Amino acid sequence: MESNVYIDPQYEEKASGFLKKAIIGIVCTMFPIASIVAIFLGTGNHKAIEEYVASGGMHTPKIKTCAVLSKGAFFGGIGMTVFYAIYFIFMFLMISALLFSTLPNQN
């Protein structure tokens, strides 16, 4: 009896590449400028995973995990970019207020 299951010979190599990019994307979300890079890493990796699966690649739990981490890198990158923008604006305003409060009164 024959099995109709297709086994991709490059599965391990592709899955490892997807997982590395997904983990790097998640780590990049934690740093101010790198959070912008994480958006692009997550988007590109997720599209590559979708193309791999659409072309007949194996849809295993490892590939699903890579897809979820890539989406997490995308949304985390967006969230942390907004957070860091608000944080730096707040810090700029606080430092400006501190500097202007030390000026002498000019009546």
Side-chain angles (χ1 to χ4, degrees):
M1 182 146 255
E2 289 186 32
S3 175
N4 293 335
V5 176
Y6 171 71
I7 297 176
D8 187 7
Q10 297 177 344
Y11 165 74
E12 277 301 321
E13 180 182 328
K14 289 182 179 183
S16 295
F18 293 147
L19 189 59
K20 286 177 188 174
K21 285 183 182 178
I23 291 173
I24 289 170
I26 289 290
V27 170
C28 284
T29 61
M30 304 313 286
F31 302 103
I33 302 299
S35 64
I36 299 168
V37 174
I39 297 168
F40 297 109
L41 269 174
T43 302
N45 197 33
H46 192 72
K47 285 182 183 177
I49 292 169
E50 285 178 347
E51 290 172 5
Y52 171 72
V53 172
S55 68
M58 296 172 59
H59 195 55
T60 61
K62 189 173 186 178
I63 296 294
K64 290 178 186 178
T65 302
C66 295
V68 168
L69 288 175
S70 294
K71 275 292 191 185
F74 173 71
F75 289 116
I78 290 173
M80 293 307 285
T81 300
V82 170
F83 171 78
Y84 286 128
I86 292 170
Y87 177 78
F88 286 128
I89 289 170
F90 179 75
M91 282 297 153
F92 175 75
L93 293 174
M94 291 300 293
I95 291 171
S96 297
L98 179 67
L99 291 175
F100 284 118
S101 69
T102 59
L103 292 175
N105 289 338
Q106 298 180 7
N107 292 333

